[in-house]
Amino acid sequence: MLDSVKSRQTDSRSRRRMRCSLGVGTAIALLAAQIGAGPASAQAATEAPRFDKHGTNNAITDVPGILVGQVTRNDPPFLTGVTAVYAPDGAVGGAIVPGGWPGSINVEVLQPGKNDQESHVMFLTGGSYFGLGSFSGIMRWLEEHGVGMNVGTDPLHVDPLVSGAVVFDLLRGGDFKARPDADFGYQAMENAKSGPVEQGNVGAGTGTRSGGKSLPLKGGIGTASVELDNGIIVGAITAVNAVGTPVDFSDCSLRAVDLAIGDEFGAYKSPSREECDAALEKAKIDAETGKPHANTTIGVLATNAKLDKEQVKQLAEAVSRGHGRAIDPIHLISDGDSYFTLATGEVTADDAQIQQIYAAAENAFARAIVHATLKATSVGEFVSYCDTFPSACGAQ
């Protein structure tokens, strides 16, 4: 085992030395292309690209080397959980925290200009600030498995870089102390695997909701991916717990369904006018007596491309744009919106391809929010989108 740990750490250091620094070149090339190409091309550059292929599982785990582990507790008095995104071989990490009321850990070290230590885990958790206790369980698991930056003479002397953020779901299962702790984090790592990712009322999305007082709906976990022609894959996972709404009140459709790749949203269609009017009338009445709630949309975006720290931060900015396409409003003072990004560095990307990656990140994150909303199921007072608008969902 120790030999394999040493080999993994050596390979990880080699990959780190090979990271490209294309941030400035990307900006210059894009600007030059727009200036030299004339108005028509400049107009085309502002149009959102369309994508026609997602990965095998349409999940963040389509990115090679990315695993997801989840812990779900919905047995009374619990209604909460943890979702961990694990890069066993390490990755360049980034993050932005645009929300006004975040709960997060190890965000600053991910910024450009800070130490270039590779990230191994980015986690999403319920429990508000208390949920950050799951961090210690994740760290314990990584230490036991010799994963992280070696800081001593023993291969097991590791100091992993783990980052994460919380959603507020306190008291949604009954007991105020029914929230994630270190054991949740440890078990999430034990459950980490590739392949299909469960969505809806699982992991950090177990006790989430969206819509605030405007149209309360059950939230959840959602994931999606984009596969580019050059072998680059971009995948996203999100826990939706927003004060904003994914619903377009003009017809009660979901905002980002137009970004669908193939038939990924199944038989979805806009709700009937009768269902829409009834839901909006009820929401109007409820808004007069309903209580505000703390809220957040958090997520992780991964790619197998080689990106530097400035570029993975720009990738997080693209995630923010995708969030804005699927939910409105975002980034309020009561939002804890936080996004994390990982680049595993397996595929070299030129300037044009990096622009594609940013666009794919925006698309994947928005679609992940749609999946979270459609896969969520009603729990108590938190009614799902599909139960609110049964004519819209069909077979999902």
Side-chain angles (χ1 to χ4, degrees):
M1 174 186 174
L2 297 185
D3 288 341
S4 64
V5 170
K6 291 178 181 178
S7 175
R8 184 168 62 245
Q9 292 169 341
T10 299
D11 291 344
S12 179
R13 286 191 292 271
S14 297
R15 280 195 309 277
R16 186 164 60 247
R17 287 193 294 268
M18 293 172 62
R19 306 291 182 191
C20 295
S21 299
L22 299 176
V24 175
T26 297
I28 294 174
L30 184 61
L31 180 61
Q34 293 186 11
I35 292 173
S41 296
Q43 173 65 28
T46 67
E47 297 176 357
R50 302 295 302 183
F51 299 96
D52 58 11
K53 186 177 183 181
H54 57 64
T56 302
N57 301 296
N58 198 13
I60 192 172
T61 49
D62 290 326
V63 178
I66 296 294
L67 313 179
V68 170
Q70 302 195 87
V71 172
T72 302
R73 289 291 302 273
N74 52 20
D75 52 310
F78 286 91
L79 193 64
T80 191
V82 172
T83 299
V85 179
Y86 176 33
D89 294 325
V92 175
I96 63 170
V97 183
W101 197 359
S104 58
I105 190 168
N106 282 343
V107 170
E108 188 61 29
V109 70
L110 301 176
Q111 303 309 307
K114 303 297 182 180
N115 189 280
D116 65 353
Q117 179 181 352
E118 291 187 325
S119 294
H120 282 91
V121 177
M122 292 175 170
F123 70 96
L124 315 174
T125 179
S128 192
Y129 299 132
F130 294 106
L132 290 174
S134 56
F135 168 85
S136 62
I138 295 171
M139 291 290 287
R140 176 161 55 91
W141 189 94
L142 292 170
E143 180 184 26
E144 290 178 2
H145 291 77
V147 178
M149 182 179 68
N150 188 271
V151 294
T153 57
D154 188 316
L156 294 180
H157 291 167
V158 293
D159 188 16
L161 177 52
V162 175
S163 304
V166 309
V167 295
F168 184 97
D169 60 6
L170 297 176
L171 294 175
R172 298 205 181 143
D175 191 327
F176 182 73
K177 294 189 176 181
R179 58 206 185 210
D181 57 17
D183 289 340
F184 278 68
Y186 190 93
Q187 191 59 48
M189 295 304 298
E190 286 281 278
N191 295 342
K193 60 182 180 180
S194 59
V197 176
E198 190 175 1
Q199 302 178 79
N201 299 15
V202 294
T206 304
T208 59
R209 56 172 285 181
S210 70
K213 294 170 64 176
S214 61
L215 182 60
L217 295 172
K218 180 69 182 72
I221 285 286
T223 188
S225 67
V226 175
E227 186 172 337
L228 303 176
D229 292 339
N230 47 32
I232 293 173
I233 301 175
V234 176
I237 190 166
T238 180
V240 178
N241 192 52
V243 67
T245 179
V247 177
D248 181 341
F249 289 158
S250 68
D251 62 359
C252 294
S253 64
L254 292 175
R255 295 179 184 277
V257 291
D258 61 316
L259 299 178
I261 295 179
D263 63 350
E264 67 177 314
F265 299 134
Y268 178 84
K269 60 182 180 181
S270 295
S272 69
R273 189 69 252 176
E274 292 77 14
E275 287 178 356
C276 182
D277 290 343
L280 294 181
E281 180 60 28
K282 183 178 184 301
K284 180 180 178 181
I285 296 172
D286 291 346
E288 297 175 358
T289 58
K291 297 180 180 179
H293 72 289
N295 35 70
T296 285
T297 296
I298 54 179
V300 181
L301 191 291
T303 179
N304 59 342
K306 288 183 179 179
L307 302 176
D308 62 26
K309 292 194 74 163
E310 178 60 40
Q311 291 163 341
V312 291
K313 183 177 181 180
Q314 292 177 25
L315 195 62
E317 298 283 358
V319 169
S320 177
R321 294 192 293 274
H323 182 190
R325 295 189 69 171
I327 291 178
D328 183 54
I330 61 174
H331 307 343
L332 303 181
I333 194 64
S334 58
D335 282 319
D337 298 342
S338 306
Y339 320 116
F340 299 88
T341 49
L342 293 164
T344 63
E346 301 303 322
V347 182
T348 300
D350 61 27
D351 287 359
Q353 291 167 337
I354 289 172
Q355 296 308 309
Q356 281 189 307
I357 292 168
Y358 294 155
E362 181 177 333
N363 174 282
F365 198 79
R367 289 166 42 238
I369 290 172
V370 176
H371 282 296
T373 305
L374 291 176
K375 296 295 185 183
T377 55
S378 300
V379 177
E381 64 180 292
F382 305 121
V383 183
S384 71
Y385 179 86
C386 287
D387 283 344
T388 302
F389 306 107
S391 67
C393 291
Q396 293 298 325

